[in-house]
Every structure is written in C-alpha cells, then in structure tokens.
Amino acid sequence: GENVEQHPSTLSVQEGDSAVIKCTYSDSASNYFPWYKQELGKRPQLIIDIRSNVGEKKDQRIAVTLNKTAKHFSLHITETQPEDSAVYFCAASGSARQLTFGSGTQLTVLP
Amino acid sequence: GAVVSQHPSWVICKSGTSVKIECRSLDFQATTMFWYRQFPKQSLMLMATSNEGSKATYEQGVEKDKFLINHASLTLSTLTVTSAHPEDSSFYICSAVVARDTQYFGPGTRLTVL
C-alpha cells in the first residue's frame, strides 16, 4: 500500500518568514495530493491540493509543488502569520480515493 | 462549500457499552464516506471505507465486528463502536467525497471510555 513520509515534524519560523514542509510517497499510481491544516481538537481543513498532471499550484500565500518522477511534493507558505500556527498534514490517494496521511508537521509562527 | 456534520461531538461511556456516531453530508450526496481514527498528537489513520448500499471495506487490523459501519443513505453513515474499552478512546473523524477525490471532514467525535 501507499506510504507517505513527512518532514519536518516540527517547524518554528518568525512571522513574515516562509515555511516549507516536504512529503514523499511510495505508490507511483497515486495521483491526488491534498494538504490539510488541523487546529487542536478540530477537523482537518483542506487548504490546497494538486493532481498529478500539474507541477505547481498557488493560492495566495500558499503553494504546492509536485515532482512525480521523484515522488515528492511540498507545501510552501509565504509571509507567515501567527494564525498559520497549526498541524499540517500531507496526503496521497489513487483511484480508490483513500487518503494516506503523512505524520504531520507542527508549525509555530513566532510573533 | 461542502458541509459534513458529525454527532455527537463528544461522548463519555462506560467500558462494555456501545456508542453510535453519525456522519452526515448536509448539502450534497456522498456515495462514499471514510472513517478515520486519530490518537493524540498522531496522524489520521483510515479505519474503513463506507459505500452507500453496500458493505464497508475495513483496513487491515480494524475489527469489523467491533466497528460496525452502516451507510444506509446518500447523506448518512454511522459508526458503532461495540463493547467499547478504554483503548478505543480516540478522536473519530468521518469524511465525505465531494467531487472526484476531494474529501471534506466532519468535526470529529471525541470518545472517552471509562
């Protein structure tokens, strides 16, 4: 089955700096890669996603890049703000639409 | 956007009792829903895939007789934790497929078994 690895497990940045979270996946058949933000005790919220026919996608301060050959994808957050502090999860899925999640990254944005 | 609700948001029960959790898609029909379990400071682990009108598909290691799933309509899936024990205490979250492969999550149910 699919295996998704995520790094780093914790990340602290100064407000206004950029944050980058990286994930690798094992199943070359995976074709959908969402990123979720989860605040303590709350549901995961989809913040951006990318499909395998696209190399990069951007939505305001958030961008995701995908390298299918290397089987890795990354989340980039620019101009970070304290409200960006949360746990971020990457995930991957294929035709069965089942999501396999990474282990999560605790992002802390220091004011 | 798509809204997924879950009920109850939290429940405390005694060991040996059963607990039912409901997952509803409020403004769309969901032929497929997923059930996840999340332990503190851990990732989401898929428990089972719930398909409307058919039996659920369970992930390896998940006891189907302990975690009963019923997807009786296009807007409702239920998870029943039977004979709950303290080790079943966790955050249970459902999700629904909205379009293609996009999943939206319910708010989760915090289960505490005493």
Side-chain angles (χ1 to χ4, degrees):
Chain A
E2 175 66 275
N3 181 48
V4 177
E5 295 192 356
Q6 183 172 345
H7 299 281
S9 57
T10 61
L11 179 61
S12 293
V13 298
Q14 289 294 137
E15 182 177 359
D17 288 349
S18 297
V20 180
I21 302 170
K22 298 182 178 182
C23 290
T24 60
Y25 62 99
S26 62
D27 190 349
S28 56
S30 291
N31 56 14
Y32 175 64
F33 308 92
W35 285 88
Y36 288 89
K37 174 184 180 182
Q38 187 179 32
E39 297 178 349
L40 189 63
K42 297 191 176 180
R43 78 182 84 195
Q45 289 186 308
L46 179 67
I47 57 172
I48 197 167
D49 57 11
I50 192 167
R51 291 184 169 82
S52 58
N53 58 344
V54 176
E56 184 173 355
K57 184 177 179 181
K58 189 173 181 180
D59 182 5
Q60 299 183 341
R61 298 187 295 111
I62 296 173
V64 57
T65 59
L66 171 65
N67 184 327
K68 272 204 76 179
T69 303
K71 289 191 277 191
H72 66 70
F73 55 114
S74 300
L75 176 71
H76 303 252
I77 306 174
T78 59
E79 301 173 24
T80 54
Q81 302 165 2
E83 51 265 38
D84 293 330
S85 296
V87 178
Y88 290 80
F89 291 99
C90 64
S93 76
S95 59
R97 299 188 292 179
Q98 296 172 335
L99 289 174
T100 299
F101 283 85
S103 53
T105 297
Q106 174 69 63
L107 173 64
T108 302
V109 179
L110 304 169
Chain B
V3 178
V4 179
S5 72
Q6 234 176 290
H7 178 82
S9 56
W10 59 270
V11 58
I12 301 174
C13 69
K14 292 183 178 180
S15 184
T17 61
S18 295
V19 174
K20 180 184 281 189
I21 302 170
E22 294 185 347
C23 178
R24 294 183 184 270
S25 56
L26 296 186
D27 50 1
F28 65 99
Q29 293 182 333
T31 56
T32 302
M33 291 183 174
F34 297 97
W35 287 95
Y36 296 84
R37 182 166 51 182
Q38 186 177 33
F39 292 106
K41 297 190 177 182
Q42 293 189 24
S43 187
L44 288 83
M45 297 299 294
L46 179 65
M47 298 176 66
T49 302
S50 172
N51 293 300
E52 187 268 336
S54 64
K55 289 185 178 180
T57 304
Y58 292 82
E59 294 301 298
Q60 193 172 10
V62 178
E63 300 175 56
K64 62 179 181 180
D65 295 330
K66 180 171 183 62
F67 299 99
L68 302 179
I69 292 172
N70 188 344
H71 195 154
S73 78
L74 288 171
T75 60
L76 174 64
S77 176
T78 61
L79 168 67
T80 301
V81 183
T82 62
S83 187
H85 289 97
E87 56 265 31
D88 298 323
S89 298
S90 188
F91 193 47
Y92 291 87
I93 314 176
C94 69
S95 72
V97 177
V98 177
R100 287 182 70 179
D101 31 31
T102 303
Q103 290 186 33
Y104 286 91
F105 285 83
T109 296
R110 176 76 57 193
L111 171 63
T112 301
V113 185
L114 302 176

